[in-house]
Amino acid sequence: MVMEFGDQNLVTVHLNVSIYIFLFIPLLPLETSSYLPAPKNVEVYSYNFQSLLRWSPVPVENGSVVYTAHYKTGFYGAWSGMGCAQTPRTWCPFPPELRRRRWTILLRLRAERGALASPWVLTPPFVAETNTTLGPPRVNNVSARPDSLLVGVSPPFTPEPGDLLQYLVSYWENSSSPTEKKLSESKTRFEIGNLKESTLYCFSIQVQLKIYSGHLLEGQQSAPECHRTALSEATRAWYIIFLFSVGFVALNLVVAASLFLWKYHQKIKYWAQPPLEIPSHFREFLRDPDVAGLEELYSPAEEEPQALVLGGGGQEGEDPSPNTSRARAASEGPPQ
């Protein structure tokens, strides 16, 4: 088959285009690719007007993934970097120029891995004045009075000139059936009044910021704190008099009891100790010491052995004890 001249030129053109695509197209940056998924759970977290963009990491089998975030405002439509280009972190703080409460901010984020890039993920418009979360105010000090509590607080964020802040205070008596009361204060030092003296009260405070639209941005409630009101001077004086009276009466009772014991100690001793009584068998012995019962009281452990006398004219059945021998010798007289 013979190829004509026009066909040869067409084949040459196709070869040149294929070589160009093969050599140069991979060198161009890829805006999107189906091989790298987009980040998920992309959201703006803002607490007390401190904001950041955060997201979940993109899972890959090998290698690592970096992320790039851009922003633009409602006044300027061009995308700008947030200072988080190809960062391995999964969060990106707002730069100082974005810390404007009333600006409408749009954000976008994508994942990158080498020459691959995921699709951009856009966030909903964010306005810090309406979308931030206000924390609870900080309670600096509490002073207890007989009928009130003096509370000093500070706001959870640094106020800007023109900010209108209010503190919504909820307080109640710490009892079995408390009744919650509320008051609103605009100062950082205020008084919770009309309280009972020497009574435990609890309170919780919430900050409210009046925004540009006229609405109130409500913050979080503070943890409840409980404090006892003080005693009044009159109640304290009554307590002192009562304690003094009780002490005086107790002292008089102690003195009277001591005098009574000293004066009647003999009678008290006689009443406290019953009279001693001699047992009946001892009384019988003391009346007649020669009674036969005395022999029963004496029971010697051992009896003296009887001596056996042989010869000498001794009589059968005669007591051979030494006392008997001495008595016989005395009766017989001295030897001739």
Side-chain angles (χ1 to χ4, degrees), residues 24 34 37 89 104 120 158 165 172 185 189 196 211 218 223 226 234 261 290 300 319 321 326 328:
F24 293 100
S34 59
R89 300 176 308 204
T104 300
W120 289 102
T158 303
L165 288 174
W172 59 93
E185 297 287 342
R189 190 168 181 83
K196 302 176 183 177
I211 59 179
E218 295 185 350
C226 298
L261 292 175
D290 297 330
D319 187 3
S321 63
R326 284 196 297 269
R328 187 184 297 114

Side-chain angles (χ1 to χ4, degrees), residues 132-160:
T132 194
T133 300
L134 297 181
R138 184 174 65 249
V139 179
N140 297 324
N141 52 73
V142 178
S143 299
R145 295 179 178 178
D147 59 348
S148 63
L149 294 175
L150 189 61
V151 184
V153 300
S154 57
F157 58 91
T158 303
E160 292 183 352

Side-chain angles (χ1 to χ4, degrees), residues 65-139:
V65 178
V66 293
Y67 307 91
T68 298
H70 292 162
Y71 78 92
K72 68 177 181 180
T73 64
F75 301 100
Y76 187 68
W79 291 101
S80 303
M82 294 180 60
C84 296
Q86 297 183 343
T87 176
R89 300 176 308 204
T90 56
W91 55 274
C92 180
F94 279 26
E97 59 268 18
L98 289 185
R99 295 175 185 173
R100 305 285 183 174
R101 296 183 183 178
R102 299 174 185 173
W103 281 13
T104 300
I105 301 172
L106 300 173
L107 303 170
R108 70 177 184 177
L109 175 75
R110 75 176 181 184
E112 299 172 357
R113 183 185 180 191
L116 300 178
S118 72
W120 289 102
V121 180
L122 299 177
T123 63
F126 172 78
V127 181
E129 193 176 55
T130 57
N131 299 125
T132 194
T133 300
L134 297 181
R138 184 174 65 249
V139 179

